[in-house]
């Protein structure tokens, strides 16, 4: 896509472009830039989506590549300064829990892949404390740890429910055949 655009600014981490056709502004960042090859390029049209908008896109998307990329983006701390670096985990886990609790939720193979991808690629099931602990009291570090532990347990519960329902569907298909 960038071949149709003009680069207007780059700092080595982000590159800004203008689309020659409609004059829209775009931003290219590299996801997982610490890996060999500089990471995967991601292109956004300005204004960049907020964390909440990304979560809404994530929960509606049917493209597993897009789902994986957005899940990874959420854990990028500096993605959106306008969000004041709000922690995404609580908002995302609440959204996932509401999805599986909807009456019309369909327990399909795709939904299992989608929700599992979201949980794993966004590190929802990562129990380790992600917050700085230097200079904090033990009780503050423990509170931070409990926060991540709670989110991870809720994420693992969703995966358990998905696996349980997946085996039920397999049994039903076997009985029908």
């Amino acid at each position: 896509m960038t071949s149709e655009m003009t680069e207007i600014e780059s700092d080595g981490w982000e590159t800004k472009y203008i689309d020659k056709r409609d004059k829209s502004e775009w931003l290219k960042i590299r996801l997982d830039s610490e890996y060999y090859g500089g990471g995967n390029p991601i292109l956004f049209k300005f204004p960049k989506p907020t964390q909440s908008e990304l979560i809404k896109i994530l929960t509606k998307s049917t493209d597993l590549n897009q789902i994986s990329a957005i899940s990874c983006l959420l854990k990028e701390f500096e993605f959106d300064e306008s969000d004041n670096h709000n922690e995404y985990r609580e908002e995302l886990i609440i959204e996932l829990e509401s999805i599986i609790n909807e009456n019309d939720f369909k327990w399909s193979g795709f939904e299992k892949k989608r929700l599992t991808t979201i949980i794993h690629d966004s590190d929802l099931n990562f129990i380790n404390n992600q917050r700085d602990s230097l200079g904090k009291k033990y009780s503050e570090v423990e509170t931070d740890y409990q926060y991540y532990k709670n989110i991870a347990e809720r994420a693992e519960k969703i995966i358990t429910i998905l696996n349980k329902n997946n085996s039920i569907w397999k049994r039903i298909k076997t009985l029908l055949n």
Side-chain angles (χ1 to χ4, degrees):
M1 284 185 65
T2 56
S3 64
E4 300 291 322
M5 300 177 181
T6 302
E7 182 179 321
I8 57 173
E9 184 181 336
S10 180
D11 64 5
W13 299 104
E14 298 181 341
T15 305
K16 293 182 181 176
Y17 295 92
I18 291 182
D19 190 321
K20 297 172 188 175
R21 296 166 294 188
D22 65 2
K23 306 298 181 210
S24 60
E25 293 185 25
W26 293 77
L27 178 70
K28 181 172 83 173
I29 63 171
R30 294 208 170 260
L31 191 59
D32 297 326
S33 60
E34 67 273 12
Y35 293 115
Y36 179 77
N40 299 308
I42 306 287
L43 197 60
F44 290 100
K45 188 174 183 178
F46 274 108
K48 289 192 298 186
T50 65
Q51 174 178 294
S52 294
E53 290 169 334
L54 282 176
I55 289 172
K56 290 295 180 199
I57 293 167
L58 184 62
T59 59
K60 303 289 186 229
S61 179
T62 57
D63 181 335
L64 284 174
N65 290 323
Q66 182 182 48
I67 290 165
S68 180
I70 292 172
S71 297
C72 291
L73 273 173
L74 285 171
K75 63 184 177 182
E76 293 285 328
F77 183 72
E78 297 180 22
F79 175 70
D80 188 355
E81 290 91 15
S82 69
D83 279 340
N84 297 316
H85 305 299
N86 287 335
E87 177 58 47
Y88 68 91
R89 286 173 179 81
E90 184 70 28
E91 182 179 355
L92 182 55
I93 196 73
I94 288 170
E95 188 67 29
L96 297 181
E97 288 168 339
S98 70
I99 287 170
I100 67 166
N101 287 319
E102 291 175 358
N103 288 333
D104 61 342
F105 180 70
K106 303 285 189 254
W107 293 100
S108 66
F110 173 76
E111 284 303 327
K112 179 183 177 189
K113 286 179 190 172
R114 180 167 73 101
L115 293 171
T116 303
T117 299
I118 292 169
I119 288 169
H120 288 289
D121 289 356
S122 67
D123 284 349
L124 278 184
N125 61 336
F126 191 64
I127 198 167
N128 294 357
N129 183 2
Q130 302 295 301
R131 297 182 181 148
D132 289 332
S133 56
L134 194 61
K136 287 185 174 180
K137 295 178 185 176
Y138 174 80
S139 62
E140 294 171 309
V141 174
E142 179 64 21
T143 298
D144 289 345
Y145 166 73
Q146 290 301 325
Y147 169 80
Y148 287 96
K149 182 180 176 203
N150 175 269
I151 297 289
E153 287 171 351
R154 291 161 67 188
E156 287 299 326
K157 184 177 179 183
I158 290 172
I159 290 173
T160 300
I161 291 168
L162 290 171
N163 289 332
K164 179 181 172 188
N165 281 295
N166 194 40
S167 63
I168 290 170
W169 280 113
K170 283 182 182 176
R171 280 188 253 145
I172 290 171
K173 286 180 182 177
T174 303
L175 291 172
L176 294 174
N177 290 334

